[in-house]
Amino acid sequence: MGIQFDSQNKVFHLKAKNTSYVMQVLQDKYLTHLYWGQRVKAYNHSNQLQFVDRGFSGNPYPSKDRTFSLDTLPQEYPQYGNTDFRKPSYQIQLKNGSTVSDLAYQSHTIRKGKPPLIGLPATYVENENEAETLEIVMKDSVSGLKVILQYTVFEQFNVITRSTRFVNEGTEPLKLLSALSMSIDFQDAEFDFLHLHGAHVKERHIERNSLRHGIQSIESTRGASSHQHNPFVALLRKGTNENTGEVYAFNFVYSGNFLAQAEVDQFRNTRVTVGINPFDFSWKLEPGETFQTPEVVLVYSSEGLGDMSRTFHDLYRTRLCRGIFREKERPILINNWEATYFDFNAEKILDIASNSRELGIELFVLDDGWFGKRNDDTSSLGDWFVNREKLPNNLDDLAHKVKDLGIEFGLWFEPEMISRDSDLYREHPDWCLHVPNRHGSESRNQLVLDFSRDDVCEEITRRVYDILSTVPISYVKWDMNRHMTEIGSSALPWDRQRETAHRYMLGLYKVMETITSSFPHILFESCSGGGGRFDPGMLYYMPQTWTSDNTDAISRLKIQYGTSLVYPISSMGAHVSDVPNHQVHRFTSLEIRGHTAMSGNFGYELDLTKLSEKEKRTVKQQVVMYKEIRRLIQFGNLYRLLSPFEGNETAWLFLNKEKTEAIVFYFRVLAEPNTPFSLLKLKGVDSNLKYRVLETNQIYGGDELAYVGLSIPAELKGDFQSYVWRLKAI
Ligand code: DGJ
């Protein structure tokens, strides 16, 4: 690991675990990209840049060299206006209206460790020797704009992180019209573009297309990272699959509007840029002011998507998530949302809680409806005071009673929102995002609080803080149930209105930092209509996310499979719910619902008091089983075996780090007549070890499990079947 600088040729060679990343300063000015991929001991320009005079690719300095054009040069942080006609990584506007800039390399520093990004979520190190950081300083002499490119390489991971800092060292204000976090130019286009798209109750479905000429992009303009596109893209070499082939992956550590795009140019070069969406964004930078972009995590894998995922999982579990729950087994919870919706009282809650306790469940979560006058979704957001009609003895009394049953108590909040019908709105109608003289659109009958304002953030922090410091709460579900419209803030001048959405995110991050650090014993789970903000930015503050409002076991196969591409299993909330399922109205067995939910952070979300004795026995067994396997699930290595996006079957395997224990889940959606007897070949198991299958007591070598495979039992009959094997090395 380390960062080397060859001062004679001005070449930077960044080495992460098994990865090399090489750049060079050309003509003492331009920062070019030369290589990213499998690690090489030394880089000696075997892929020497070649220069030819290409028609219509202009030259920044024509008198010197007609073959030199930024249009053809592979760059690290390209600009607009001087011969590069592809999309730039940033753009400024000066007081005279001009939008051109011209960066030149100035200096660089290399240091151990990784500095935090002030006010933003980011990966971190615990020891200076875990990483090295390079900062390259570039300057535009006309405006005085300084651009600092930050690169960190990790010793233990095939990971490089990038972000960019802008400093106005000029004498006049300037405007950032766009400020992406990173850009990289590959010198070919033989890639597939893979990303995770979706919708509410249908998050993170995998899509893979061949790159073509022009731009392929995903983005959010919704004020949240969104259900529709996750801030993740990967370029895959043709033929790359789960277990082999090269992957270049990019994940944006941010929870708001983003853009991730790949542009294939006329010469079949590919430019990837990732950052805050320039659409409806700008940022005024006064002399002396700084703008820091969020971070992008770049993962390289030469062993397919599976290895890429395990890199993301390990990095995020250990060097993005923080706090005591990072290493702790997560509790099995029961949430009352799908059991009661808004229709509950203290008696009903205690009834569900005491039933859960008998079944071995460890945490009761009281969802929406406990505050203000909230009996449906038309009122009370912002009024974080207990609803005495439903809970006449207050929240404290209920929480103590739940705890007295021997089970922890958790609570739902939606701190970023305000209902028109709320005391908070009546007092502060200007505290929501809004635009003067325009009607404020509603979504789920609510408006978005203006978290770009300090006073709003402080008041909401105080209200949430008051409850968390007076009621014995050990878990919080932090929800957010609409996207932003009429984005504007009454606290900002006209020429800063386009800063609102990003200032909102900075405000939100500050609120979450204050609250989560004030209550380190509380486990926080973020949520946004399910998985609408399942991104690394949120995971920095809250180590779990509610994966989707869709709790159907079959829909969840795709949702959880897609989510697992990037996000660790310990971050994925997954609950057994009632049948017919409330979102897709499907009937599935309690067994398959259990197996799907056990493949994540396990819990229940149904009225346990209505279960038959037989069903309760099954739940009890599931709870016992999950307690035995949860360390393996939450902290083991994931190997995906069969993809729900490719066929009727899904399978995945969790293996502990020592490779001595594994659990394999197999799911078959529809029964089909006269199909061949299938075999499931395992991955990751140690071919030198022997494993006992706990269900059958049979013993097989790891090599046999991997190369020959396990038979899928023929007795699985009918639709929606699942099967589990637990393996222990002997
Ligand atoms: C959306 C969440 O995703 C649900 O789980 C539930 O908490 C509701 N909001 C409550 O309004």
Side-chain angles (χ1 to χ4, degrees):
M1 195 257 317
I3 297 172
Q4 292 154 359
F5 181 61
D6 163 1
S7 55
Q8 208 179 351
N9 297 306
K10 293 208 163 50
V11 171
F12 297 98
H13 187 163
L14 284 57
K15 291 178 177 168
K17 189 180 171 197
N18 295 315
T19 308
S20 282
Y21 190 102
V22 184
M23 300 174 274
Q24 184 176 23
V25 180
L26 279 190
Q27 301 188 358
D28 280 337
K29 179 173 180 182
Y30 300 106
L31 187 62
T32 57
H33 176 79
L34 296 181
Y35 176 71
W36 178 27
Q38 202 127 303
R39 185 163 167 166
V40 292
K41 288 185 215 60
Y43 175 82
N44 282 311
H45 300 270
S46 57
N47 64 343
Q48 183 83 42
L49 288 179
Q50 307 199 42
F51 295 93
V52 285
D53 181 3
R54 306 239 205 204
F56 290 84
S57 290
N59 324 108
Y61 299 103
S63 56
K64 282 193 192 152
D65 185 359
R66 272 186 59 153
T67 68
F68 187 84
S69 175
L70 299 184
D71 203 23
T72 58
L73 196 69
Q75 295 162 75
E76 277 292 310
Y77 203 68
Q79 61 216 8
Y80 168 71
N82 32 32
T83 76
D84 191 339
F85 298 98
R86 296 166 288 179
K87 291 281 181 202
S89 49
Y90 77 99
Q91 193 181 12
I92 56 172
Q93 184 164 39
L94 304 185
K95 220 175 153 196
N96 63 10
S98 70
T99 53
V100 173
S101 57
D102 192 15
L103 290 181
Y105 166 83
Q106 266 211 321
S107 63
H108 72 269
T109 53
I110 296 171
R111 56 184 273 195
K112 277 181 172 291
K114 180 175 193 288
L117 300 187
I118 306 301
L120 285 168
T123 54
Y124 59 88
V125 293
E126 290 200 324
N127 174 323
E128 294 283 277
N129 294 324
E130 290 177 11
E132 261 183 37
T133 297
L134 163 69
E135 288 202 343
I136 301 178
V137 181
M138 316 278 290
K139 190 144 184 182
D140 176 44
S141 59
V142 171
S143 63
L145 175 72
K146 203 170 171 184
V147 176
I148 301 151
L149 305 178
Q150 191 181 98
Y151 300 79
T152 296
V153 292
F154 282 80
E155 180 172 24
Q156 291 303 322
F157 304 105
N158 286 314
V159 168
I160 295 171
T161 58
R162 288 188 60 181
S163 66
T164 301
R165 199 156 76 244
F166 297 84
V167 187
N168 183 356
E169 291 193 341
T171 52
E172 295 191 334
L174 58 83
K175 227 173 203 191
L176 291 170
L177 300 180
S178 75
L180 294 163
S181 295
M182 60 135 293
S183 178
I184 185 170
D185 286 347
F186 295 90
Q187 292 178 57
D188 72 309
E190 304 319 307
F191 293 110
D192 288 339
F193 181 93
L194 184 144
H195 65 109
L196 301 171
H197 71 101
H200 178 230
V201 299
K202 198 174 176 224
E203 296 89 339
R204 288 170 298 286
H205 279 40
I206 299 174
E207 192 167 78
R208 178 175 178 168
N209 302 304
S210 198
L211 270 190
R212 50 184 190 264
H213 286 102
I215 292 178
Q216 179 154 354
S217 68
I218 55 158
E219 64 176 343
S220 169
T221 55
R222 296 170 167 265
S225 49
S226 88
H227 307 81
Q228 287 71 15
H229 292 290
N230 197 259
F232 163 80
V233 292
L235 295 190
L236 275 57
R237 285 291 172 201
K238 302 285 175 188
T240 289
N241 59 28
E242 190 60 28
N243 305 302
T244 58
E246 285 190 299
V247 184
Y248 300 86
F250 306 84
N251 192 204
F252 193 32
V253 188
Y254 190 60
S255 315
N257 293 340
F258 74 92
L259 173 71
Q261 72 182 18
E263 176 175 8
V264 178
D265 72 12
Q266 55 186 328
F267 310 114
R268 289 193 68 69
N269 300 310
T270 306
R271 170 169 294 172
V272 176
T273 42
V274 181
I276 293 175
N277 199 337
F279 176 78
D280 204 29
F281 164 88
S282 71
W283 196 274
K284 191 172 173 194
L285 218 49
E286 297 285 354
E289 281 184 353
T290 296
F291 181 83
Q292 171 67 57
T293 73
E295 169 167 294
V296 180
V297 174
L298 287 74
V299 170
Y300 169 76
S301 164
S302 57
E303 291 166 39
L305 287 165
D307 177 63
M308 172 205 77
S309 298
R310 288 184 288 280
T311 301
F312 274 120
H313 293 180
D314 285 347
L315 177 78
Y316 286 176
R317 221 170 25 214
T318 62
R319 292 296 178 264
L320 176 71
C321 294
R322 301 172 298 164
I324 55 169
F325 293 97
R326 195 178 77 172
E327 333 279 353
K328 259 193 169 174
E329 290 180 17
R330 309 295 164 74
I332 301 174
L333 65 80
I334 170 87
N335 178 305
N336 74 306
W337 179 242
E338 287 199 21
T340 65
Y341 295 103
F342 295 103
D343 185 17
F344 62 83
N345 55 25
E347 220 180 357
K348 179 72 198 170
I349 295 304
L350 287 171
D351 202 8
I352 298 178
S354 78
N355 267 269
S356 349
R357 176 67 195 109
E358 278 162 28
L359 300 174
I361 293 170
E362 298 156 313
L363 165 69
F364 174 84
V365 180
L366 180 58
D367 210 281
D368 195 352
W370 59 266
F371 54 94
K373 297 192 171 57
R374 182 107 164 151
N375 293 316
D376 55 33
D377 62 17
T378 58
S379 83
S380 303
L381 293 168
D383 296 346
W384 299 109
F385 312 106
V386 76
N387 180 333
R388 287 295 191 121
E389 268 170 35
K390 280 186 189 168
L391 307 174
N393 296 331
N394 218 340
L395 202 54
D396 196 35
D397 177 73
L398 179 66
H400 275 110
K401 284 191 174 131
V402 169
K403 280 182 77 81
D404 289 346
L405 292 170
I407 178 168
E408 295 298 312
F409 182 74
L411 194 61
W412 178 98
F413 287 91
E414 194 175 357
E416 299 156 69
M417 295 292 147
I418 182 165
S419 307
R420 275 212 168 90
D421 180 7
S422 67
D423 291 342
L424 186 66
Y425 186 79
R426 284 181 278 275
E427 252 172 82
H428 299 287
D430 62 332
W431 272 18
C432 58
L433 294 178
H434 67 283
V435 170
N437 309 319
R438 303 264 172 212
H439 176 71
S441 309
E442 290 182 7
S443 180
R444 210 193 187 206
N445 304 303
Q446 61 200 54
L447 301 168
V448 183
L449 276 169
D450 182 358
F451 267 39
S452 76
R453 293 174 61 142
D454 284 343
D455 50 357
V456 175
C457 290
E458 278 158 21
E459 178 58 21
I460 294 300
T461 304
R462 199 181 59 72
R463 290 183 183 204
V464 174
Y465 188 99
D466 279 354
I467 291 181
L468 298 186
S469 51
T470 50
V471 181
I473 287 171
S474 24
Y475 165 104
V476 163
K477 179 173 172 188
W478 184 292
D479 207 347
M480 194 283 268
N481 285 309
R482 67 158 286 181
H483 290 147
M484 295 178 186
T485 56
E486 291 87 21
I487 302 175
S489 170
S490 50
L492 291 171
W494 73 272
D495 58 347
R496 287 192 181 272
Q497 287 298 316
R498 289 171 77 134
E499 298 176 12
T500 309
H502 180 58
R503 285 186 183 274
Y504 176 99
M505 294 316 307
L506 296 178
L508 171 64
Y509 288 148
K510 198 166 159 196
V511 170
M512 292 197 298
E513 180 67 34
T514 309
I515 289 179
T516 55
S517 61
S518 304
F519 300 98
H521 67 282
I522 294 181
L523 172 61
F524 286 84
E525 177 159 333
S526 80
C527 171
S528 174
R533 225 168 36 182
F534 206 137
D535 60 60
M538 295 306 288
L539 290 181
Y540 180 70
Y541 303 95
M542 306 188 174
Q544 296 186 187
T545 304
W546 177 224
T547 310
S548 177
D549 273 350
N550 188 339
T551 52
D552 169 60
I554 301 305
S555 308
R556 275 291 186 123
L557 295 176
K558 283 187 176 163
I559 295 170
Q560 292 177 199
Y561 190 101
T563 305
S564 81
L565 235 53
V566 188
Y567 304 104
I569 303 301
S570 58
S571 66
M572 273 203 252
H575 301 169
V576 172
S577 63
D578 207 354
V579 285
N581 172 268
H582 294 193
Q583 293 79 38
V584 298
H585 310 285
R586 194 179 348 247
F587 281 92
T588 53
S589 68
L590 192 48
E591 282 70 24
I592 194 170
R593 279 178 276 153
H595 289 156
T596 309
M598 275 188 216
S599 306
N601 267 340
F602 190 51
Y604 290 84
E605 191 157 334
L606 52 97
D607 191 347
L608 290 170
T609 63
K610 295 195 177 136
L611 294 187
S612 67
E613 284 312 308
K614 185 166 172 256
E615 286 170 324
K616 283 189 182 169
R617 274 198 300 280
T618 306
V619 169
K620 220 172 189 167
Q621 283 160 5
Q622 289 175 337
V623 167
V624 168
M625 175 167 161
Y626 193 70
K627 286 178 182 168
E628 286 168 11
I629 61 172
R630 73 176 142 192
R631 177 146 285 281
L632 189 56
I633 303 270
Q634 295 170 3
F635 303 102
N637 279 340
L638 171 74
Y639 289 84
R640 291 177 295 256
L641 307 176
L642 295 172
S643 166
F645 296 98
E646 288 167 15
N648 193 27
E649 298 163 302
T650 301
W652 42 56
L653 173 165
F654 301 89
L655 183 69
N656 67 352
K657 299 281 174 195
E658 299 75 32
K659 299 187 172 223
T660 53
E661 222 183 306
I663 181 159
V664 186
F665 290 92
Y666 167 84
F667 305 89
R668 192 183 63 207
V669 177
L670 295 180
E672 283 177 11
N674 291 329
T675 49
F677 296 111
S678 322
L679 284 171
L680 193 58
K681 295 185 181 179
L682 306 192
K683 296 275 178 239
V685 284
D686 187 337
S687 50
N688 295 317
L689 289 179
K690 284 193 170 142
Y691 295 89
R692 184 190 304 279
V693 178
L694 299 191
E695 288 70 23
T696 59
N697 243 347
Q698 296 283 354
I699 294 171
Y700 306 106
D703 50 354
E704 187 176 349
L705 293 169
Y707 308 140
V708 182
L710 281 168
S711 296
I712 309 291
E715 72 258 23
L716 292 184
K717 299 248 175 358
D719 296 341
F720 316 136
Q721 293 293 323
S722 60
Y723 197 83
V724 172
W725 295 264
R726 291 169 69 181
L727 310 174
K728 274 225 160 91
I730 51 169

